[in-house]
Structures are given as structure tokens and as C-alpha cells.
Amino acid sequence: KQEVTQIPAALSVPEGENLVLNCSFTDSAIYNLQWFRQDPGKGLTSLLLIQSSQREQTSGRLNASLDKSSGRSTLYIAASQPGDSATYLCAVYPPLAAGNKLTFGGGTRVLVKP
Amino acid sequence: DAGVTQSPTHLIKTRGQQVTLRCSPISGHKSVSWYQQVLGQGPQFIFQYYEKEERGRGNFPDRFSARQFPNYSSELNVNALLLGDSALYLCASSLGGSGRGRQFFGPGTRLTVL
């Protein structure tokens, strides 16, 4: 059974500092890994999706890496801003033909202080 | 193009009642998945439907049921509501049912059970 863990559960940083968010998973047989942002009481906003054949994906200030062999992904947010305050969730996709069930981590709640 | 839409946005019910939540996928998407997100936790997989057939079911009691219509929209039904069913219910759509396609999430329905 796939288990996804995000540590720490909460993080507080001053504005301008780089953010490093961690995601670990127990079964390396994944197809994709996706990072989401969730604002309080809202739905999920997709940030980056890394396919299993890729090692990283970048979009603006965001960079996500994937190491399947060690069961880890890291999301980097450069030069954090107060608007980056949110909960960040990672989710892994099962292998092909195993359906569409995403397994999510518990999330890391981020506060960027001005 | 419209994204995934869900209705209603918010819902308040009392214990023992029944509720129906609705989801319309992105045009052309044939797979719909449902997730439950309890406050402070990551989303948990409930169901996946593809081409009107159930393709996956999470660890939820039989009080939870779903169906998909010919236009690929979907309904999630929960009977005999319990306080613990209070959560944000998220719907996600994708092109295919095999996990190959990226999943896109709707804004969710916030269910409160009193």
C-alpha cells in the first residue's frame, strides 16, 4: 500500500527566503508525481507535474525534483513572498493500468512573514 | 474552456440525512474521481468512474455511492450522514482512466453535518 508523507507539517519563513518542501513515498512504482497548492477552504491548484521518466520540472520560481529510487520529491520555491502562504500537497499516481487513484501526503502548511 | 465544476459550493445537513454532490468534468474528459478531504489532512480517494463504469473504490463504507452519466458528469451520494462525513469533497477529471492522464480538480463542495 502506497503511503505518502510530508514533513514538516508546518513551516514559517521570512519573506525572501527560499522554501524547501519535502515529500516521501514508500512504493517507487509510480507513474507521475504532482504538487498542488491549496488556499484555506479552497480546492487544489496544480503547480507542477513530474512524469516518472523526468527528474525535475520547473515553472517560474518553482522547481520540483523527483528521485524514484529513494522515494523522494522536493519542491523548491525561490525568493518566497507572503502570497506563497498556503498548504502544499504532493500526490503520487499509481502505475499504468492501476486506475486513477492519487495518494496524497498530509500537506505542509507554509507561512511567509513580511 | 471551463474547468471542472462542482455543485453545490456549500451544504449543511443533519445526521442521518442523505446528500448528493455533483461534478461536471472538463469537456472531453471521460474519467471522474472523487476525494474526501477532512480538515487538516490530505484528500482521500473515494471512487473513480471511467466510461460510466466504476474503476476503483477507496476504503469507504457502503453509505457512499456514485455514478457517472452518459455526458460523463457524476454524482456522489452519501446516505445516513455522520458527523465524521463533514469534509471538503473534491472531484477530479482526466482524459483516460488508466492513470496516464493528468488530473484536474474542481473547487470542491464543503459539506457540514450537524
Side-chain angles (χ1 to χ4, degrees):
Chain A
K1 176 189 170 186
Q2 178 73 268
E3 292 183 2
V4 180
T5 304
Q6 292 183 248
I7 295 173
L11 189 59
S12 179
V13 299
E15 182 177 1
E17 192 166 298
N18 296 333
L19 282 165
V20 180
L21 306 179
N22 299 305
C23 172
S24 61
F25 46 94
T26 55
D27 186 349
S28 63
I30 66 170
Y31 188 67
N32 294 332
L33 185 144
Q34 193 166 0
W35 283 93
F36 295 89
R37 168 186 171 137
Q38 186 173 35
D39 293 297
K42 304 295 185 181
L44 305 181
T45 300
S46 178
L47 296 175
L48 293 168
L49 181 143
I50 311 175
Q51 296 181 358
S52 60
S53 58
Q54 299 175 314
R55 292 192 65 83
E56 68 177 301
Q57 192 69 249
T58 298
S59 176
R61 295 186 295 114
L62 276 58
N63 174 275
S65 65
L66 174 63
D67 184 343
K68 285 180 58 179
S69 61
S70 67
R72 289 184 174 187
S73 177
T74 303
L75 177 66
Y76 301 88
I77 303 177
S80 62
Q81 303 167 0
D84 294 328
S85 298
T87 296
Y88 293 82
L89 295 151
C90 68
V92 299
Y93 286 64
L96 287 180
N100 272 5
K101 173 187 175 181
L102 295 189
T103 302
F104 283 84
T108 295
R109 191 171 66 253
V110 171
L111 175 64
V112 180
K113 296 176 290 186
Chain B
D1 285 342
V4 178
T5 60
Q6 292 185 244
S7 64
T9 305
H10 295 89
L11 206 50
I12 299 175
K13 293 285 189 178
T14 57
R15 283 178 296 174
Q17 286 189 312
Q18 175 264 342
V19 68
T20 298
L21 311 181
R22 296 176 177 82
C23 171
S24 292
I26 292 171
S27 177
H29 285 194
K30 298 181 178 181
S31 175
V32 170
S33 299
W34 287 94
Y35 293 81
Q36 180 196 65
Q37 186 179 25
V38 174
L39 194 63
Q41 298 180 18
Q44 297 290 317
F45 173 78
I46 309 175
F47 285 111
Q48 182 210 349
Y49 275 78
Y50 177 66
E51 290 279 18
K52 301 180 289 293
E53 291 188 1
E54 183 180 305
R55 284 292 189 93
R57 184 184 183 111
N59 188 25
F60 281 81
D62 291 344
R63 298 185 296 107
F64 288 76
S65 63
R67 55 179 175 168
Q68 187 176 34
F69 298 98
N71 66 353
Y72 303 111
S73 66
S74 177
E75 285 182 353
L76 175 70
N77 295 286
V78 186
N79 293 322
L81 285 167
L82 304 174
L83 295 179
D85 295 331
S86 294
L88 181 67
Y89 288 84
L90 296 163
C91 171
S93 77
S94 63
L95 273 172
S98 66
R100 193 187 306 269
R102 182 175 188 157
Q103 292 196 38
F104 296 82
F105 282 80
T109 293
R110 170 72 62 188
L111 172 64
T112 301
V113 182
L114 302 177

